[in-house]
Amino acid sequence: MKTDILTEKHRLGIGGVAIGTAFENITDEQAHEILQTAWNTGIRYYDTSPWYGLTKSERRFGDFLKDQERNDFVFSTKVGRLFREVPEAEVPPTMWKNPLNYDFRHDYTADAVQRSIEESLKRTGLNHIDIVYIHDLSEDQVGDRYPYFLEQARKGAFKILSELRDQGVIKAWGMGVNKIEPILDCIESADPDICLSATQYSILEHEDAVDRLLPTVRKAGVKLVSGAGYNSGYVVGRERYNYKDVIPKGMSEKRERMTSIAEKYSISLVDAALHFVLASDEFASIIPGASKPEQVKDNREALNTAIPAEFWKELKSEKLIYEKAQVPGEK
């Protein structure tokens, strides 16, 4: 029987991509202020990864959270890459604006997973990790080596994480990926508890997830966490979509029309985007990142904003959201 580790108080969490300097060079002091704001507004679910900033984000989360009562929050991080310190000249080019001096390799074997967890505990200073996500085991990250790494994970990561869960070392595990297929593949051959699905389910783009992902996780009793639920800032006006500078055809017009309708009902598109994700029974939490404390406050305010039922009816009538998508108030 799977235990729901994320409860009502974890519906809104915070993700660590921005704190890992994905979009700008956030300082240690700024990162601490963002996390302190999250804590002060009642956020109790914190998600990061050693990948973010080449271990920088994970260290920053640890520096903040080690001063909090451990049973007062849920912490998740990720496995799938191993890191080694290198001279600055040997740091590989990545999306991070100011990463630490590390190189990395993908490794989904049991030994690598155990080592990754041990290193995460050392970096954070925490005594345990609640949820472990298998990170970026997906074609968009490992390319045509996906079948090779999937088989490696089936023999390694999937088995060892189930064992660690059964031993009580971790509370839950699953995939943390930007595509649907890896979650389906994992459910087919293992028993994950919760998966972090990034970029696949948002108010702007969700049809494929409604048709293929949600029915599968529902049947398997697997919960979902939403990563990049704002399409890495596009919902709030950034000119990047799912971490890339290329905006899908027609998306600008769709965002503009949705924003206009939201304003008619005296809400923002962020308000609607957050409630849209959480309206789905399959999603236990949404974990938007933040580059500024104000963004954390905006997310908390969005959670507390009531969305008129007429707003959703209008979006569906204009076919701006999929007719099969669950919206607040629907079952």
Side-chain angles (χ1 to χ4, degrees):
M1 185 71 179
K2 289 186 169 75
T3 303
D4 289 337
I5 184 170
L6 297 178
T7 64
E8 190 65 30
K9 69 179 179 181
H10 305 116
R11 297 279 281 166
L12 175 64
I14 183 168
V17 171
I19 282 174
T21 70
F23 311 118
E24 55 190 89
N25 183 19
I26 292 173
T27 66
D28 289 343
E29 292 74 21
Q30 289 170 321
H32 189 277
E33 186 181 1
I34 291 165
L35 292 169
Q36 186 66 61
T37 302
W39 189 269
N40 291 348
T41 57
I43 289 174
R44 293 296 182 267
Y45 175 33
Y46 296 80
D47 173 78
T48 186
S49 167
W51 168 237
Y52 306 156
L54 305 185
T55 78
K56 180 176 277 191
S57 178
E58 197 174 60
R59 294 172 197 273
R60 287 173 163 178
F61 273 67
D63 284 343
F64 176 77
L65 291 171
K66 67 186 180 187
D67 294 328
Q68 313 304 328
E69 180 61 43
R70 184 61 187 88
N71 292 331
D72 285 350
F73 62 89
V74 170
F75 175 74
S76 59
T77 191
K78 304 180 181 78
V79 297
R81 292 179 179 92
L82 290 177
F83 296 82
R84 64 182 180 89
E85 197 167 2
V86 295
E88 189 171 347
E90 295 179 23
V91 176
T94 61
M95 65 185 285
W96 314 110
K97 303 301 184 189
N98 187 17
L100 296 180
N101 292 357
Y102 283 84
D103 197 358
F104 65 92
R105 63 182 171 87
H106 289 271
D107 194 329
Y108 298 94
T109 63
D111 286 347
V113 166
Q114 288 188 291
R115 180 178 150 192
S116 183
I117 291 172
E118 289 166 6
E119 291 176 353
S120 290
L121 289 170
K122 285 179 185 175
R123 281 191 288 264
T124 59
L126 300 175
N127 58 18
H128 72 274
I129 296 165
D130 299 296
I131 306 171
V132 174
Y133 295 118
I134 300 172
H135 203 192
D136 288 343
L137 177 52
S138 181
E139 281 189 19
D140 66 313
Q141 298 294 326
V142 299
D144 59 9
R145 299 195 78 197
Y146 175 68
Y148 167 79
F149 282 124
L150 177 62
E151 188 58 26
Q152 192 180 75
R154 280 182 173 135
K155 295 175 180 174
F158 294 177
K159 289 186 177 180
I160 192 65
L161 288 172
S162 286
E163 289 173 13
L164 292 172
R165 178 193 59 203
D166 294 346
Q167 293 164 10
V169 177
I170 63 174
K171 293 179 182 175
W173 73 272
M175 303 293 278
V177 287
N178 302 332
K179 297 292 181 183
I180 290 173
E181 281 74 18
I183 296 176
L184 305 183
D185 288 340
C186 179
I187 289 173
E188 187 180 316
S189 55
D191 61 341
D193 309 276
I194 188 164
C195 290
L196 200 168
S197 176
T199 75
Q200 297 302 301
Y201 194 83
S202 74
I203 196 168
L204 293 174
E205 186 177 7
H206 49 266
E207 292 84 350
D208 196 21
V210 169
D211 286 341
R212 295 198 299 135
L213 178 62
L214 301 192
T216 302
V217 298
R218 188 183 311 126
K219 185 178 179 182
V222 172
K223 286 295 185 181
L224 294 173
V225 170
S226 168
Y230 302 159
N231 302 104
S232 70
Y234 191 72
V235 163
V236 297
R238 305 282 192 280
E239 288 309 307
R240 60 172 182 257
Y241 190 87
N242 294 353
Y243 306 114
K244 296 182 174 66
D245 293 331
V246 178
I247 310 302
K249 191 175 187 309
M251 197 57 76
S252 177
E253 294 81 1
K254 187 175 187 179
R255 179 180 67 179
E256 188 177 329
R257 182 61 187 139
M258 281 188 168
T259 300
S260 175
I261 295 172
E263 288 172 352
K264 188 170 84 172
Y265 289 96
S266 302
I267 58 173
S268 75
L269 195 54
V270 171
D271 300 335
L274 185 145
H275 283 275
F276 175 79
V277 171
L278 293 179
S280 168
D281 292 334
E282 288 70 43
F283 280 90
S285 180
I286 185 170
I287 50 168
S291 301
K292 298 177 179 62
E294 292 74 27
Q295 293 170 336
V296 178
K297 293 176 184 175
D298 288 345
N299 291 328
R300 171 54 73 179
E301 288 176 12
L303 185 68
N304 295 332
T305 298
I307 312 292
E310 291 77 14
F311 169 77
W312 302 112
K313 288 177 185 174
E314 188 161 342
L315 290 191
K316 285 201 171 183
S317 70
E318 290 202 19
K319 296 186 168 29
L320 290 166
I321 56 176
Y322 190 27
E323 60 181 8
K324 295 181 184 176
Q326 194 173 352
V327 297
E330 286 184 355
K331 284 296 176 189

